[in-house]
């Protein structure tokens, strides 16, 4: 007799789970339950008046490793091959990344030559940090912070500038709090296995079997660093929705789950307000904090653990300019916390995916700032004063109901458009009020 599986949450994780479950021969029924009317979760793409694409969440997917290959295989099976926009290995967006330090952009060094010569903002060539790393003993602790690990192995500058910025850009988190074992398991394992991170990465952990398709082979041959879809990444959950429906998966929208209970026969009861579902298995693709409130009383120890798993949010400000040009070509730049705690980084969308610039094409960039509250409203203000570029957000203030919070970017946006004598082009299109979850 076939089994029934209920998947909670219609974001990309829940959709992907249903995609694989729909191929399992032993299951008779797969049900996806989404609390809102929309599928896709944090993946959301909008089209501007000129046809330009703006991403309110993630804007690219990395093809590396077995997980990346499986995602590309899924893309092929969904019939999206012709919609893929790759960033090949020789592209500036794949080769160039920058740090914004001291009011200026600095390229992160790449290749042997870049490691051997002075590379501001670092005071010494990174070759010396690498030499130091090769001579350091293996760590003895079962885990440590990213900052502690990096400082111990590569020195304080790499820890406070490079890894601090990386943690802010990837996790919107503090490198002095994040776990090296959880956030960068390959670095932790390289030290444990080979005593040296550099040696471990060089020798590798061996290649695991990976799926194969024409698209996967193309990505390997061209050394893709990331890819997107012509109409925006939301094409992926939209295609998954149509595919799942065609394979008999029941998709319930606008049905928030009220609770879970384990019945005497070992099956689960999924309460949906005025109705319920019976399931042999339940897969959760909702935040840990949400799941903790749904579990039955007998699962209180698990609920307590889930409540300790926190998440942060990021405000995404999409900008488009007419006639502006970037002084550099690359993926974007990160901002260390010591430089400006109010800006995480800026992605140069038009460099990686010019096909999404619209007609006539306009320069697109996305600024990421820490989200200051669910009631916040962010907007970009072009003050016509090149000494300051503002990103403002109205957030609740204790005792007053609302107030204005201003983030001074210290030129993090201005740096893209030249010196103070050059006039900033006003934004043609902005998309404020976007929140992207980072867990």
């Amino acid at each position: 007799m076939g089994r029934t599986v209920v998947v909670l949450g219609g974001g990309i994780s829940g959709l992907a789970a249903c995609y694989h479950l729909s191929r399992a021969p032993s299951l008779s029924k797969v049900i996806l339950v989404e609390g809102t009317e929309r599928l896709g979760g944090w993946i959301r793409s909008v089209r501007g008046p000129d046809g330009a694409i703006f991403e309110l969440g993630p804007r690219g997917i990395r093809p590396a490793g077995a997980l990346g290959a499986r995602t590309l295989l899924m893309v092929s099976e969904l019939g999206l091959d012709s919609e893929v926009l790759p960033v090949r290995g020789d592209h500036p967006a794949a080769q160039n990344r920058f740090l914004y330090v001291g009011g200026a952009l600095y390229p992160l060094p790449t290749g042997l030559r870049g490691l051997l010569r002075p590379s501001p903002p670092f005071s010494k060539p990174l070759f010396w940090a690498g030499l130091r790393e090769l001579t350091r003993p293996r760590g003895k602790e079962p885990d440590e912070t990213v900052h502690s690990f990096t400082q111990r192995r590569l020195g304080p500058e790499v820890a406070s500038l490079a890894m601090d910025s990386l943690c802010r850009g990837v996790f919107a988190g503090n490198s002095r709090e994040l776990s090296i074992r959880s956030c960068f398991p390959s670095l932790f394992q390289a030290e444990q296995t080979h005593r040296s991170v550099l040696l471990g990465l060089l020798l590798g952990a061996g290649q695991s079997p990976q799926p194969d398709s024409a698209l996967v082979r193309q990505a390997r041959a061209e050394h893709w660093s990331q890819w997107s879809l012509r109409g925006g990444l939301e094409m992926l959950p939209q295609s998954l929705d149509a595919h799942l429906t065609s394979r008999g998966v029941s998709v319930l929208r606008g049905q928030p789950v009220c609770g879970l209970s384990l019945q005497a026969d070992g099956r689960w009861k999924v309460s949906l307000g005025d109705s319920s579902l019976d399931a042999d298995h339940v897969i959760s693709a909702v935040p840990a904090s949400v799941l903790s409130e749904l579990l039955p009383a007998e699962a209180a120890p698990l609920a307590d653990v889930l409540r300790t798993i926190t998440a942060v949010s990021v405000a995404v400000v999409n900008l488009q300019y007419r006639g502006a040009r970037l002084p550099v070509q690359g993926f974007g730049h990160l901002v260390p916390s010591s430089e400006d705690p109010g800006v995480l980084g800026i992605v140069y969308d038009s460099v990686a995916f010019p096909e999404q610039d619209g007609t006539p094409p306009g320069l697109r960039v996305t600024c990421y700032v820490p989200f200051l509250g669910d009631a916040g409203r962010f907007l970009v203000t072009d003050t016509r004063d090149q000494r300051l570029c503002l990103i403002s957000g109205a957030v609740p203030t204790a005792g007053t109901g609302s107030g204005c919070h201003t983030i001074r970017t210290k030129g993090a946006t201005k740096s893209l458009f030249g010196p103070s004598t050059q006039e900033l082009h006003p934004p043609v299109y902005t998309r404020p009020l976007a929140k992207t979850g980072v867990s």
Side-chain angles (χ1 to χ4, degrees):
M1 182 178 178
R3 295 169 293 167
T4 298
V5 177
V6 171
V7 178
L8 309 182
I12 190 61
S13 297
L15 289 167
C18 290
Y19 171 82
H20 293 289
L21 288 169
S22 68
R23 285 161 163 68
S26 59
L27 297 179
S28 61
K29 197 170 188 179
V30 178
I31 305 173
L32 174 65
V33 182
E34 166 57 37
T36 69
E37 295 293 340
R38 179 186 162 276
L39 300 179
W42 296 118
I43 299 180
R44 187 166 186 176
S45 311
V46 297
R47 189 179 294 273
D50 60 356
I53 301 297
F54 298 89
E55 300 286 5
L56 307 192
R59 63 211 53 249
I61 297 177
R62 296 182 68 245
L67 292 178
R70 290 193 192 102
T71 305
L72 286 174
L73 181 61
M74 179 174 66
V75 166
S76 295
E77 292 175 348
L78 293 173
L80 292 174
D81 290 52
S82 62
E83 303 296 330
V84 172
L85 300 177
V87 178
R88 297 174 176 84
D90 57 356
H91 193 279
Q95 296 187 336
N96 304 328
R97 284 167 170 77
F98 301 87
L99 285 178
Y100 181 78
V101 178
L105 290 174
Y106 296 98
L108 285 171
T110 58
L112 182 60
R113 186 178 179 184
L115 297 177
L116 292 175
R117 61 186 180 185
S119 302
F122 304 102
S123 59
K124 298 178 181 179
L126 291 183
F127 167 80
W128 296 108
L131 188 62
R132 166 197 172 104
E133 201 281 327
L134 291 171
T135 63
R136 301 298 295 173
R138 180 188 290 110
K140 297 180 180 180
E141 298 298 325
D143 197 3
E144 61 185 305
T145 68
V146 173
H147 180 86
S148 171
F149 179 90
T150 309
Q151 181 170 261
R152 177 170 57 81
R153 299 217 62 90
L154 294 166
E157 274 195 339
V158 176
S160 61
L161 292 177
M163 287 304 286
D164 173 273
S165 301
L166 183 61
C167 286
R168 300 181 80 231
V170 175
F171 303 105
N174 188 341
S175 64
R176 297 176 184 269
E177 298 175 357
L178 295 174
S179 155
I180 186 69
R181 189 168 186 171
S182 297
C183 295
F184 300 98
S186 61
L187 303 185
F188 176 82
Q189 194 57 46
E191 183 194 40
Q192 294 299 308
T193 304
H194 300 281
R195 187 187 58 78
S196 162
V197 172
L198 296 181
L199 281 178
L201 295 178
L202 182 64
L203 297 175
Q207 291 290 329
S208 58
Q210 296 185 5
D212 187 52
S213 71
L215 195 62
V216 172
R217 290 192 295 273
Q218 181 184 354
R220 290 175 187 155
E222 297 175 350
H223 306 287
W224 293 4
S225 66
Q226 62 172 317
W227 56 269
S228 185
L229 296 170
R230 194 170 303 278
L233 274 185
E234 195 171 359
M235 291 184 69
L236 181 57
Q238 290 171 346
S239 297
L240 279 168
D241 179 20
H243 177 80
L244 295 177
T245 302
S246 70
R247 292 189 65 88
V249 175
S250 298
V251 180
L252 305 182
R253 295 177 175 83
Q255 298 282 344
V257 177
C258 302
L260 301 171
S261 57
L262 190 60
Q263 302 176 91
D265 61 358
R267 304 187 79 208
W268 286 93
K269 179 180 180 180
V270 181
S271 299
L272 304 174
D274 57 356
S275 63
S276 64
L277 301 169
D278 291 327
D280 297 285
H281 303 281
V282 175
I283 294 178
S284 173
V286 298
S289 59
V290 174
L291 179 61
S292 69
E293 301 301 321
L294 302 178
L295 292 174
E298 54 266 34
L302 174 58
D304 291 340
V305 173
L306 291 174
R307 290 189 187 98
T308 66
I309 302 175
T310 59
V312 298
S313 293
V314 173
V316 178
V317 183
N318 300 106
L319 300 175
Q320 185 184 38
Y321 291 90
R322 292 283 184 236
R325 292 185 178 181
L326 291 168
V328 294
Q329 294 290 295
F331 176 78
H333 69 255
L334 296 172
V335 184
S337 57
S338 58
E339 180 71 23
D340 187 350
V343 177
L344 302 173
I346 297 180
V347 174
Y348 313 157
D349 301 303
S350 289
V351 177
F353 304 115
E355 301 90 342
Q356 298 176 338
D357 281 347
T359 305
L363 174 66
R364 295 174 303 120
V365 298
T366 301
C367 183
Y368 293 86
V369 299
F371 196 74
L372 302 177
D374 287 340
R377 173 169 180 165
F378 287 84
L379 60 141
V380 173
T381 304
D382 178 5
T383 63
R384 297 293 173 178
D385 181 350
Q386 296 303 305
R387 294 170 299 176
L388 182 64
C389 180
L390 300 181
I391 297 176
S392 301
V395 296
T397 302
T400 64
S402 65
C404 184
H405 180 90
T406 299
I407 300 167
R408 301 194 172 200
T409 68
K410 298 182 181 178
T413 304
K414 183 194 73 176
S415 65
L416 296 178
F417 303 101
S420 60
T421 55
Q422 180 181 344
E423 181 182 5
L424 268 177
H425 292 266
V428 174
Y429 181 78
T430 63
R431 189 75 185 185
L433 262 160
K435 220 171 48 160
T436 178
V438 180
S439 59

